[in-house]
Amino acid sequence: METESGARPGESAPEPAGRGPERELLAPALDAVRATGAAFLLRGDPGMGKTTLLDWAEERAGRAGLRVLRMAGAEAESALAFAALHQVLWPLLDTAHHLPDGQRHLLEAALGVRADETPAAGEVAGAALALLARAAARRPIVLLLDGLQWADPPSAAVFRFIGSRAAGLPLVVIGATRNEGRYAARGVGRPIDLEPLDDARAGDLLRALYPHLAEWARRRVLRAAGGNPLALRELPAELERAAPDRLAVVVDPETGELLGELPLGERLGALYEDRLRALPEDARHVLLRAALGGPAAPDAAARESAAPAAAGGARTADDAPATIGARAAGTWRRIQDSGLAHVDPRTGRVRFHHPLVRAGLVHTASSAERRAAHRDLAEALPPDSPRRLAHLAAAAIGPDDGLAARLDAAARTMAERGAEAEAASVMARAAGLTADPGCRAARLVAAAALAARGGRLRFADRLLAEAENEARPRTPSPAALYALAVAYVRLHLDGDPTPSLRGLPAALDAAAPFRDAGQRAALLEPALFILVIVASHTGDDRARAALDRHVGQASELTVLCHQAWADPPHTAREVPARLRAAVASRPDGPADPLAARLLLWTAVAVDAVGDHAALWDRLSSRSTYVTQAFIELARAHDHFLHGRWEESLALARRGAAASAAHGYGYNEMMFLLHHGQVLAGRGDTAGLEAIARLLTPWAADRHLRLVTGRLLGLKALCALGHGRAAEAWHHVRSLTPPGGPLPRLPWIQLTLLDFAQAAVETGHRVEAQAHLRAVREAGIAAVSPHHAFLVAAAEALAAADDTAEERYTAAYALPGAEEWPFELARLHLAHGACLRRRSRRREAAARLTSAHAVFERLRAAPWAGQAARELAAAGGPGPEATGAERPTGEVRHPLSAQESRIAELAAEGLTNREIGARLRLSPRTVGAHLYKIFPKLGITTRGGMARALREGGASAQASASARATAAREVIPSLGKTL
């Protein structure tokens, strides 16, 4: 079989991750093939990456212009003479007429072209080498021989002959074979043994393949794969598929270690299947018990004594000890001869050739055989051993309430040690062994709660569905834990707050008072935290009222978090100081994940996440996915506020992908929202609209006002960047109607600058001033330094001419103003424009230059364009000199900043007097500007203004499309999860 490039149709060869040393051996030979040849033989167990290395070599050879000939061995053809050689030489056979007649006839007979007697391998070998030599002289050849263990003997002899003489030709031969078979000791070239990847390389490969794998799953996969690259690729998917099957996962309740192995798919299950089925039945039974027993299983002597019984015959008084010993010894000889396992002489324990042999034994055994092996192992262990309990659970078929009660207790002990993910499987098994439907439902609820806390969200959802089926038509008991589990799972799975609002308040009321510390920790605290999240996202009075009723019994951190979000102008004024004290009292962070999330959500409320970065670093390094994702959400938002937009984008993209992989729809939605913040700041209208089209209906259906409100603010921000003040004013008025009471809307402070700017630029300065007086009186500025700066900056933008300078100075003077670079740059831009209009050009240029530098660093192209145009009008360098990139959708015509604003208002149909009122210009001045604008746009009437502006911006559409494409890279995952 000949291939012209390393890539199969439509794809490229996978990078053989973790096989760097092997590639370093092969690469020089491939690079030097025109000068000298070489031959190698890759040897290793199934799944060790041999074929992947051959794919890599094929792709590299194709890029170098080499000719690739490839063979793939097949067991079905292993008895057909020269079948493997046929694959290699058939593409070259049309050039065989250049060979002497004798050699040509030999090859044609061997390959079935000539109806002669099949020649001997030794005769064919010389002819095959001659044919390859002629072809390689014209174009160097890379000969790839995969699956040599299945090559027919005559072909194998020819390949060895070719390999032994490759050095003298422009020919590289790379064979690949399993460790067993005729090629294990003797092959086509220099042997390269592919050993299992060490722990570091296996961990790196697993992270590269599955960067978002939960830690509990990561540990299991690494242990089960044993450094086998194929297993590292395939086991995570098998683990996900096996999660709901409680019978498939048997966990040691004492150590949390998996007993037996993860269920294998067909591909992994077949790796050792042939060799295992070739063993005698008694040997397979002995090894199955060893596989299911784990490292702490009974020793080899105990297994040997049980070997006759395992073979199917009961031990009787007629069986002499010597006979039993001889049978056991014979069994173990056959096992050791197979190479699949051996007895460690130091410990007497069974050591498998590879962990996948253990998994293969479990995979090939029937359910009855597995249960029998678990019973044997349980009988060999002391009555009080936790491992005996696990084996009994695996062996049980029908209900067993006594065993279920013991498993229940074991699961609770595991959970207390922090192994909730594993404890969920044990508790679910306890439920499966429970006879009473009500008790079974209660244990399913407990298992779901453990699974949710352990990050197994989909598993928790399935367990809750089973509990509901068991308890119909009643609510599963205990009702409070059920309500909490359902609220947690539905909120995180798809962002649905309805179960929290309907179930949690009633459950808390029914369970109160919470005098027991354990009950508070297990039910009250997590329920209140969910209600804080739901209340801050929805503003629903049911959540707020429940919080007010029960927060008095909660911990200090829960009370602090509630105050931070309840009514920030009135309840959050002391939160920053108390938050600093709480963090200082826990320099390494709280041990409880819930306490860590309470601290973090409190910091988000007062824009203080960045003040405690070291704490989040420590927490993230030792937390589960749930807490890590929560930290990254907060950090993505904080990076945006502090002008670290590239870091914010990276976290948002990575977080959205991880959330999709884990099934956390709420997290995915929030990461997309943070992605949208950067798009809005950079003026990417198309990208922001793509995100909004997904998030707006999704959030509106769930009444998530935090999301819908923030999206309106982002649309206003994006519109202001492009100078579309009327559009921005429409959005901010929808968000906070001027003149009305201030809404209790989270993150409302983030829209204050947009409100002020949009109001002023559309002629609503008086409304803006009234609105900001209400903001000041409400106490928003007292919440945090960031709140104070935003209020002061908005007041400066909305100030009348005679007080503007004083307001700008006051905003600049606030402590920490420089920590918010984008908002500070907007203030500099507005101040610079104001100074330029008053002919204070030097001062204006200083402010505008500062603003332009920040916008350029942030890649906020529309804002940079505005600053550059104002700078040019102030007598500084223009847009071309500053290198300002034109924003997406920006009108491309030679108008000044002032002329652009007048033209856009005129295009909307405003009269000269109305334009002058908005821009504080006389109607005569507006007319003079229009007199200059008409010839620049090539029009003679106001009616052509809108068309001219549209055509001037058409050339920006390609850039908008490119930006939208970048946004879409992260967006499709939302639909996948939700």
Side-chain angles (χ1 to χ4, degrees):
M1 178 178 65
E2 179 178 15
T3 57
E4 291 296 335
S5 71
R8 288 181 170 82
E11 63 181 32
S12 60
E15 181 72 11
R19 292 301 179 193
E22 291 81 4
R23 295 199 306 271
E24 290 176 3
L25 289 173
L26 297 175
L30 293 170
D31 295 342
V33 65
R34 289 178 170 83
T36 183
F40 303 91
L41 179 65
L42 305 175
R43 300 187 303 195
D45 279 2
M48 283 298 171
K50 301 182 295 297
T51 299
T52 305
L53 274 170
L54 293 182
D55 292 341
W56 167 83
E58 182 178 339
E59 185 175 37
R60 188 182 184 100
R63 288 198 307 267
L66 310 178
R67 187 171 194 174
V68 178
L69 301 173
R70 186 159 181 169
M71 181 277 292
E75 184 178 10
E77 296 180 354
S78 59
L80 301 177
F82 296 112
L85 185 66
H86 187 284
Q87 295 185 51
V88 172
L89 296 188
W90 186 259
L92 304 179
L93 201 57
D94 59 350
T95 64
H97 61 275
H98 295 293
L99 298 177
D101 290 344
Q103 290 183 329
R104 187 178 74 253
H105 292 165
L106 284 170
L107 287 176
E108 290 175 347
L111 301 184
V113 175
R114 182 180 295 273
D116 289 349
E117 184 178 349
T118 302
E123 297 176 316
V124 174
L129 183 64
L131 183 63
L132 282 169
R134 288 189 61 86
R138 293 192 300 273
R139 183 181 175 193
I141 290 176
V142 176
L143 179 58
L144 304 176
L145 309 173
D146 198 4
L148 276 172
Q149 70 275 5
W150 301 123
D152 59 278
S155 294
V158 173
F159 293 148
R160 282 194 292 269
F161 180 82
I162 293 170
S164 67
R165 288 156 176 80
L169 300 171
L171 171 68
V172 170
V173 182
I174 306 176
T177 185
R178 295 182 181 179
N179 278 327
E180 76 273 10
R182 65 177 69 90
Y183 274 96
R186 181 180 174 212
V188 300
R190 174 187 174 185
I192 299 177
D193 291 312
L194 302 186
E195 301 294 342
L197 302 178
D198 58 33
D199 292 344
R201 288 195 293 167
D204 290 344
L205 176 56
L206 188 59
R207 269 188 295 274
L209 295 171
Y210 297 93
H212 313 302
L213 193 64
E215 184 58 30
W216 67 270
R218 174 182 165 79
R219 291 195 303 269
R220 286 186 175 180
V221 168
L222 287 173
R223 183 168 60 237
N228 185 295
L230 179 62
L232 291 168
R233 290 179 182 274
E234 304 228 345
L235 277 176
E238 297 301 329
L239 177 61
E240 173 63 24
R241 283 193 283 270
D245 182 1
R246 301 186 301 280
L247 294 174
V249 182
V250 183
V251 180
D252 183 339
E254 184 177 40
T255 65
E257 178 195 349
L258 190 70
L259 298 181
E261 294 301 321
L262 294 176
L264 304 181
E266 290 305 313
R267 190 175 181 191
L268 287 177
L271 293 185
Y272 293 97
E273 183 173 0
D274 293 335
R275 295 171 66 185
L276 289 170
R277 295 194 185 282
L279 288 172
E281 186 177 1
D282 60 342
R284 282 192 286 109
H285 281 301
V286 169
L287 286 180
L288 178 61
R289 287 198 300 278
L292 292 172
D299 61 22
R303 288 197 196 89
E304 288 177 8
S305 65
R315 182 174 175 180
T316 67
D318 295 332
D319 288 324
T323 304
I324 295 172
R327 289 179 183 175
T331 296
W332 279 103
R333 275 197 302 272
R334 287 190 289 272
I335 290 173
Q336 299 199 149
D337 289 345
S338 74
L340 295 170
H342 69 280
V343 177
D344 189 331
R346 297 171 300 172
T347 64
R349 307 281 182 190
V350 174
R351 298 288 181 240
F352 287 97
H353 171 69
H354 188 273
L356 287 176
V357 176
R358 297 176 65 198
L361 283 157
V362 179
H363 178 77
T364 56
S366 66
S367 58
E369 289 172 330
R370 290 194 296 270
R371 287 195 299 271
H374 279 297
R375 281 194 297 270
D376 290 345
L377 288 165
E379 291 172 3
L381 290 163
D384 59 347
S385 169
R387 298 180 70 85
R388 175 185 173 89
L389 176 64
H391 288 300
L392 288 173
I397 300 177
D400 187 330
D401 287 329
L403 183 57
R406 293 170 63 192
L407 286 171
D408 184 311
R412 297 180 191 277
T413 301
M414 292 172 67
E416 290 172 1
R417 296 174 181 172
E420 287 102 341
E422 290 83 357
S425 291
V426 177
M427 183 64 78
R429 185 67 183 117
L433 295 172
T434 303
D436 178 69
C439 185
R440 182 162 60 248
R443 282 173 174 154
L444 286 169
V445 170
L450 290 169
R453 295 210 306 266
R456 303 174 67 183
L457 202 62
R458 296 187 181 101
F459 187 29
D461 190 42
R462 286 185 281 261
L463 290 170
L464 287 172
E466 289 186 41
E468 291 165 0
N469 289 331
E470 290 289 345
R472 283 182 179 175
R474 296 174 292 106
T475 297
S477 179
L481 183 60
Y482 171 76
L484 175 61
V486 172
Y488 181 95
V489 169
R490 298 318 308 174
L491 181 63
H492 285 83
L493 198 64
D494 61 8
D496 185 3
T498 306
S500 303
L501 295 169
R502 291 179 178 173
L504 282 184
L508 290 177
D509 292 343
F514 297 91
R515 297 189 178 93
D516 178 70
Q519 191 181 29
R520 286 198 298 271
L523 180 62
L524 177 65
E525 300 286 345
L528 290 180
F529 180 56
I530 290 176
L531 287 173
V532 169
I533 296 287
V534 169
S536 60
H537 280 68
T538 65
D540 195 288
D541 288 336
R542 288 172 291 179
R544 288 173 171 164
L547 284 164
D548 292 339
R549 288 196 301 272
H550 297 287
V551 77
Q553 302 180 72
S555 67
E556 176 190 357
L557 291 184
T558 300
V559 172
L560 185 63
C561 189
H562 172 54
Q563 291 175 341
W565 287 96
D567 186 9
H570 301 101
T571 62
R573 299 189 181 194
E574 298 179 1
V575 166
R578 291 174 58 194
L579 176 63
R580 286 193 296 272
V583 171
S585 67
R586 301 168 175 83
D588 293 325
D592 179 17
L594 176 60
R597 294 196 281 275
L598 284 164
L599 280 174
L600 187 60
W601 194 236
T602 303
V604 170
V606 293
D607 295 342
V609 173
D611 296 345
H612 311 288
L615 175 61
W616 316 133
D617 285 337
R618 288 190 290 273
L619 290 174
S620 183
S621 64
R622 65 172 191 254
S623 299
T624 62
Y625 161 75
V626 180
T627 301
Q628 286 176 356
F630 205 61
I631 291 172
E632 290 196 349
L633 275 171
R635 280 183 153 167
H637 182 60
D638 187 68
H639 284 327
F640 173 76
L641 297 181
H642 283 86
R644 298 185 291 269
W645 287 5
E646 287 303 317
E647 291 90 334
S648 181
L649 269 181
L651 278 178
R653 288 169 176 155
R654 185 170 68 241
S659 300
H662 288 283
Y664 280 72
Y666 164 79
N667 288 353
E668 186 179 5
M669 173 266 294
M670 292 303 293
F671 276 120
L672 285 170
L673 182 64
H674 295 326
H675 187 272
Q677 290 188 136
V678 179
L679 297 182
R682 289 179 170 171
D684 187 347
T685 304
L688 180 62
E689 286 178 353
I691 286 180
R693 279 195 298 272
L694 285 170
L695 293 192
T696 300
W698 188 89
D701 288 346
R702 293 157 177 78
H703 306 289
L704 299 176
R705 295 198 310 156
L706 182 146
V707 179
T708 54
R710 186 60 181 141
L711 283 171
L712 278 176
L714 294 178
K715 289 178 180 179
L717 172 62
C718 191
L720 286 171
H722 292 295
R724 302 192 298 267
E727 178 186 332
W729 179 240
H730 169 74
H731 291 314
V732 295
R733 286 193 63 188
S734 302
L735 192 60
T736 58
L742 292 179
R744 292 174 63 179
L745 191 65
W747 290 345
I748 190 65
Q749 77 279 6
L750 300 180
T751 65
L752 290 177
L753 273 181
D754 306 324
F755 190 99
Q757 182 179 347
V760 169
E761 293 186 3
T762 55
H764 297 88
R765 183 184 301 275
V766 174
E767 293 176 73
Q769 291 171 344
H771 180 75
L772 291 171
R773 278 196 299 274
V775 166
R776 176 70 70 176
E777 291 168 3
I780 289 179
V783 174
S784 78
H786 188 215
H787 288 68
F789 173 74
L790 289 172
V791 172
E795 289 173 337
L797 262 65
D801 289 349
D802 56 344
T803 61
E805 192 64 30
E806 177 186 343
R807 295 288 191 179
Y808 280 115
T809 302
Y812 296 142
L814 286 174
E818 66 283 351
E819 292 186 18
W820 323 103
F822 179 59
E823 291 148 346
L824 181 59
R826 289 180 63 184
L827 194 63
H828 283 308
L829 172 60
H831 192 191
C834 180
L835 292 170
R836 192 265 306 164
R837 287 193 299 270
R838 297 179 187 178
S839 298
R840 295 165 61 178
R841 295 178 180 274
R842 182 175 298 178
E843 297 170 76
R847 296 291 180 189
L848 294 169
T849 299
S850 176
H852 182 267
V854 172
F855 294 142
E856 283 284 283
R857 178 179 66 79
L858 296 177
R859 294 170 56 195
W863 295 96
Q866 288 189 34
R869 290 192 296 275
E870 286 288 352
L871 190 55
E880 291 77 13
T882 57
E885 176 190 347
R886 287 188 180 269
T888 301
E890 178 193 347
V891 178
R892 295 174 180 262
H893 47 58
L895 302 184
S896 69
Q898 188 80 298
E899 289 169 342
S900 293
R901 287 193 289 272
I902 292 172
E904 289 166 1
L905 293 174
E908 293 177 14
L910 274 67
T911 66
N912 288 7
R913 185 175 298 278
E914 290 170 332
I915 294 171
R918 290 198 180 186
L919 302 182
R920 291 181 294 171
L921 301 172
S922 70
R924 186 183 299 274
T925 302
V926 173
H929 279 297
L930 287 171
Y931 181 77
K932 297 177 182 178
I933 290 171
F934 281 14
K936 289 184 178 183
L937 295 181
I939 59 176
T940 56
T941 65
R942 298 170 77 104
M945 188 77 71
R947 178 185 53 79
L949 292 175
R950 282 197 305 271
E951 290 176 354
S955 59
Q957 291 179 357
S959 175
S961 176
R963 292 168 187 257
T965 299
R968 285 194 295 271
E969 290 177 359
V970 71
I971 291 170
S973 58
L974 183 69
K976 213 176 297 180
T977 301
L978 305 180

